[in-house]
Amino acid sequence: ELLGITAYASCCMGYEFMESAVLATVLVALGDGLVIPKMKEFGHLFPGHPMPRMVFMWAPLEASFALTAFGILTGFASPAHQPPSNVGMVLFASTLRIVATLACGALLGTLSGRLIPRREELVIRGTQVFNGTAVEAFLMVSAVALIAFGMG
């Protein structure tokens, strides 16, 4: 999909290659909103068929890839009337951003994995703070995800 959209935008629409690639990373991620509801419907019509499960496993990976590619390619796309971007600096910055994201994600995941199961042990002034329900754990995981999202 990514290569097809890039080729179409370059050849038929007259976009430069980098503009076409950025457009492709935007449009390829839109497919999940169309495909997932159809796969749910397909799963109800044909219970036990393996295709919906495969699509549900692949869709988040495809969206993650598209978002990563978009982040990298936008660094290469130079706005009109601006000098071209330094390729070495863009590659270094993108690599550094990916490594920092993975490191922060691993740290947050490790801390969450160790602290959330032990939340019932937290006592302040003799009062247990958390009661250990599943909803409480879900809200804590959601909070960690929002914190990570806010960090950029």
Side-chain angles (χ1 to χ4, degrees):
E1 286 177 70
L2 197 61
L3 294 175
I5 294 170
T6 302
Y8 180 81
S10 270
C11 296
C12 299
M13 297 176 71
Y15 285 15
E16 292 182 17
F17 175 76
M18 200 52 61
E19 293 172 334
S20 301
V22 170
L23 176 68
T25 58
V26 170
L27 294 180
V28 78
L30 293 177
D32 295 342
L34 305 172
V35 172
I36 289 177
K38 282 295 179 189
M39 283 298 111
K40 279 187 88 168
E41 181 182 323
F42 187 84
H44 288 296
L45 292 173
F46 303 101
H49 197 281
M51 188 182 344
R53 181 184 166 122
M54 289 187 330
V55 170
F56 291 143
M57 288 179 4
W58 176 252
L61 296 174
E62 183 182 28
S64 296
F65 173 74
L67 288 172
T68 303
F70 177 78
I72 292 170
L73 290 175
T74 52
F76 287 112
S78 298
H81 311 296
Q82 296 291 325
S85 303
N86 181 351
V87 175
M89 185 61 74
V90 170
L91 285 175
F92 174 74
S94 295
T95 304
L96 181 64
R97 185 179 340 147
I98 290 171
V99 170
T101 300
L102 290 173
C104 288
L107 178 67
L108 276 173
T110 301
L111 289 174
S112 298
R114 292 177 190 256
L115 296 177
I116 290 175
R118 296 186 179 110
R119 68 186 179 278
E120 297 170 31
E121 299 171 12
L122 181 62
V123 177
I124 297 178
R125 295 184 184 173
T127 304
Q128 183 179 356
V129 178
F130 299 107
N131 58 16
T133 63
V135 171
E136 192 174 74
F138 173 75
L139 291 173
M140 289 178 140
V141 170
S142 297
V144 170
L146 287 171
I147 289 168
F149 181 72
M151 289 171 56

PDB file of all heavy atoms in Angstrom, residues 93-107 151-152:
ATOM      1  N   ALA A  93      18.904  12.304  14.310  1.00  0.00           N
ATOM      2  CA  ALA A  93      17.809  12.714  15.197  1.00  0.00           C
ATOM      3  C   ALA A  93      16.703  11.656  15.229  1.00  0.00           C
ATOM      4  O   ALA A  93      16.161  11.354  16.297  1.00  0.00           O
ATOM      5  CB  ALA A  93      17.245  14.059  14.745  1.00  0.00           C
ATOM      6  N   SER A  94      16.382  11.078  14.088  1.00  0.00           N
ATOM      7  CA  SER A  94      15.345  10.044  14.038  1.00  0.00           C
ATOM      8  C   SER A  94      15.781   8.803  14.809  1.00  0.00           C
ATOM      9  O   SER A  94      14.993   8.212  15.556  1.00  0.00           O
ATOM     10  CB  SER A  94      15.023   9.677  12.592  1.00  0.00           C
ATOM     11  OG  SER A  94      14.459  10.781  11.925  1.00  0.00           O
ATOM     12  N   THR A  95      17.036   8.398  14.632  1.00  0.00           N
ATOM     13  CA  THR A  95      17.550   7.235  15.355  1.00  0.00           C
ATOM     14  C   THR A  95      17.561   7.493  16.850  1.00  0.00           C
ATOM     15  O   THR A  95      17.138   6.639  17.641  1.00  0.00           O
ATOM     16  CB  THR A  95      18.976   6.892  14.867  1.00  0.00           C
ATOM     17  OG1 THR A  95      18.945   6.686  13.459  1.00  0.00           O
ATOM     18  CG2 THR A  95      19.504   5.658  15.555  1.00  0.00           C
ATOM     19  N   LEU A  96      18.010   8.672  17.243  1.00  0.00           N
ATOM     20  CA  LEU A  96      18.030   9.029  18.660  1.00  0.00           C
ATOM     21  C   LEU A  96      16.616   9.040  19.244  1.00  0.00           C
ATOM     22  O   LEU A  96      16.380   8.538  20.349  1.00  0.00           O
ATOM     23  CB  LEU A  96      18.694  10.394  18.850  1.00  0.00           C
ATOM     24  CG  LEU A  96      18.824  10.897  20.285  1.00  0.00           C
ATOM     25  CD1 LEU A  96      19.736   9.968  21.080  1.00  0.00           C
ATOM     26  CD2 LEU A  96      19.371  12.313  20.298  1.00  0.00           C
ATOM     27  N   ARG A  97      15.655   9.571  18.493  1.00  0.00           N
ATOM     28  CA  ARG A  97      14.266   9.613  18.961  1.00  0.00           C
ATOM     29  C   ARG A  97      13.699   8.201  19.128  1.00  0.00           C
ATOM     30  O   ARG A  97      13.018   7.911  20.108  1.00  0.00           O
ATOM     31  CB  ARG A  97      13.410  10.401  17.977  1.00  0.00           C
ATOM     32  CG  ARG A  97      11.989  10.583  18.459  1.00  0.00           C
ATOM     33  CD  ARG A  97      11.107  11.386  17.527  1.00  0.00           C
ATOM     34  NE  ARG A  97      11.815  12.208  16.585  1.00  0.00           N
ATOM     35  CZ  ARG A  97      11.392  12.472  15.357  1.00  0.00           C
ATOM     36  NH1 ARG A  97      10.268  11.969  14.928  1.00  0.00           N
ATOM     37  NH2 ARG A  97      12.090  13.237  14.558  1.00  0.00           N
ATOM     38  N   ILE A  98      13.984   7.308  18.189  1.00  0.00           N
ATOM     39  CA  ILE A  98      13.488   5.930  18.280  1.00  0.00           C
ATOM     40  C   ILE A  98      14.110   5.207  19.466  1.00  0.00           C
ATOM     41  O   ILE A  98      13.423   4.528  20.238  1.00  0.00           O
ATOM     42  CB  ILE A  98      13.732   5.181  16.958  1.00  0.00           C
ATOM     43  CG1 ILE A  98      12.818   5.743  15.870  1.00  0.00           C
ATOM     44  CG2 ILE A  98      13.499   3.678  17.121  1.00  0.00           C
ATOM     45  CD1 ILE A  98      13.123   5.238  14.482  1.00  0.00           C
ATOM     46  N   VAL A  99      15.423   5.364  19.645  1.00  0.00           N
ATOM     47  CA  VAL A  99      16.108   4.713  20.778  1.00  0.00           C
ATOM     48  C   VAL A  99      15.587   5.263  22.105  1.00  0.00           C
ATOM     49  O   VAL A  99      15.314   4.500  23.043  1.00  0.00           O
ATOM     50  CB  VAL A  99      17.640   4.887  20.658  1.00  0.00           C
ATOM     51  CG1 VAL A  99      18.353   4.457  21.915  1.00  0.00           C
ATOM     52  CG2 VAL A  99      18.160   4.093  19.468  1.00  0.00           C
ATOM     53  N   ALA A 100      15.414   6.580  22.191  1.00  0.00           N
ATOM     54  CA  ALA A 100      14.889   7.183  23.430  1.00  0.00           C
ATOM     55  C   ALA A 100      13.459   6.727  23.701  1.00  0.00           C
ATOM     56  O   ALA A 100      13.094   6.453  24.853  1.00  0.00           O
ATOM     57  CB  ALA A 100      14.953   8.709  23.336  1.00  0.00           C
ATOM     58  N   THR A 101      12.648   6.609  22.663  1.00  0.00           N
ATOM     59  CA  THR A 101      11.275   6.139  22.822  1.00  0.00           C
ATOM     60  C   THR A 101      11.256   4.708  23.338  1.00  0.00           C
ATOM     61  O   THR A 101      10.490   4.373  24.253  1.00  0.00           O
ATOM     62  CB  THR A 101      10.516   6.233  21.478  1.00  0.00           C
ATOM     63  OG1 THR A 101      10.500   7.593  21.057  1.00  0.00           O
ATOM     64  CG2 THR A 101       9.102   5.709  21.607  1.00  0.00           C
ATOM     65  N   LEU A 102      12.085   3.847  22.754  1.00  0.00           N
ATOM     66  CA  LEU A 102      12.148   2.458  23.211  1.00  0.00           C
ATOM     67  C   LEU A 102      12.650   2.363  24.650  1.00  0.00           C
ATOM     68  O   LEU A 102      12.114   1.582  25.456  1.00  0.00           O
ATOM     69  CB  LEU A 102      13.036   1.633  22.282  1.00  0.00           C
ATOM     70  CG  LEU A 102      12.475   1.380  20.890  1.00  0.00           C
ATOM     71  CD1 LEU A 102      13.516   0.690  20.012  1.00  0.00           C
ATOM     72  CD2 LEU A 102      11.202   0.569  20.953  1.00  0.00           C
ATOM     73  N   ALA A 103      13.657   3.157  24.986  1.00  0.00           N
ATOM     74  CA  ALA A 103      14.194   3.121  26.355  1.00  0.00           C
ATOM     75  C   ALA A 103      13.161   3.615  27.367  1.00  0.00           C
ATOM     76  O   ALA A 103      12.955   2.990  28.414  1.00  0.00           O
ATOM     77  CB  ALA A 103      15.467   3.967  26.436  1.00  0.00           C
ATOM     78  N   CYS A 104      12.498   4.727  27.054  1.00  0.00           N
ATOM     79  CA  CYS A 104      11.463   5.246  27.978  1.00  0.00           C
ATOM     80  C   CYS A 104      10.298   4.274  28.086  1.00  0.00           C
ATOM     81  O   CYS A 104       9.752   4.062  29.177  1.00  0.00           O
ATOM     82  CB  CYS A 104      10.975   6.612  27.526  1.00  0.00           C
ATOM     83  SG  CYS A 104      12.167   7.928  27.777  1.00  0.00           S
ATOM     84  N   GLY A 105       9.896   3.670  26.973  1.00  0.00           N
ATOM     85  CA  GLY A 105       8.819   2.688  26.996  1.00  0.00           C
ATOM     86  C   GLY A 105       9.173   1.468  27.823  1.00  0.00           C
ATOM     87  O   GLY A 105       8.350   0.960  28.595  1.00  0.00           O
ATOM     88  N   ALA A 106      10.422   1.000  27.689  1.00  0.00           N
ATOM     89  CA  ALA A 106      10.866  -0.144  28.489  1.00  0.00           C
ATOM     90  C   ALA A 106      10.904   0.214  29.970  1.00  0.00           C
ATOM     91  O   ALA A 106      10.496  -0.585  30.828  1.00  0.00           O
ATOM     92  CB  ALA A 106      12.245  -0.599  28.014  1.00  0.00           C
ATOM     93  N   LEU A 107      11.368   1.412  30.287  1.00  0.00           N
ATOM     94  CA  LEU A 107      11.412   1.845  31.684  1.00  0.00           C
ATOM     95  C   LEU A 107      10.008   1.964  32.275  1.00  0.00           C
ATOM     96  O   LEU A 107       9.736   1.451  33.362  1.00  0.00           O
ATOM     97  CB  LEU A 107      12.155   3.182  31.801  1.00  0.00           C
ATOM     98  CG  LEU A 107      12.231   3.776  33.206  1.00  0.00           C
ATOM     99  CD1 LEU A 107      13.100   2.890  34.097  1.00  0.00           C
ATOM    100  CD2 LEU A 107      12.782   5.183  33.158  1.00  0.00           C
ATOM    101  N   MET A 151       4.489  12.606  27.089  1.00  0.00           N
ATOM    102  CA  MET A 151       5.937  12.837  27.008  1.00  0.00           C
ATOM    103  C   MET A 151       6.396  12.994  25.573  1.00  0.00           C
ATOM    104  O   MET A 151       7.470  13.506  25.315  1.00  0.00           O
ATOM    105  CB  MET A 151       6.684  11.677  27.681  1.00  0.00           C
ATOM    106  CG  MET A 151       6.533  11.682  29.183  1.00  0.00           C
ATOM    107  SD  MET A 151       7.184  10.201  29.985  1.00  0.00           S
ATOM    108  CE  MET A 151       8.845  10.151  29.422  1.00  0.00           C
ATOM    109  N   GLY A 152       5.582  12.552  24.644  1.00  0.00           N
ATOM    110  CA  GLY A 152       5.892  12.732  23.229  1.00  0.00           C
ATOM    111  C   GLY A 152       6.622  11.572  22.693  1.00  0.00           C
ATOM    112  O   GLY A 152       7.227  11.470  21.747  1.00  0.00           O
TER     113      GLY A 152
END
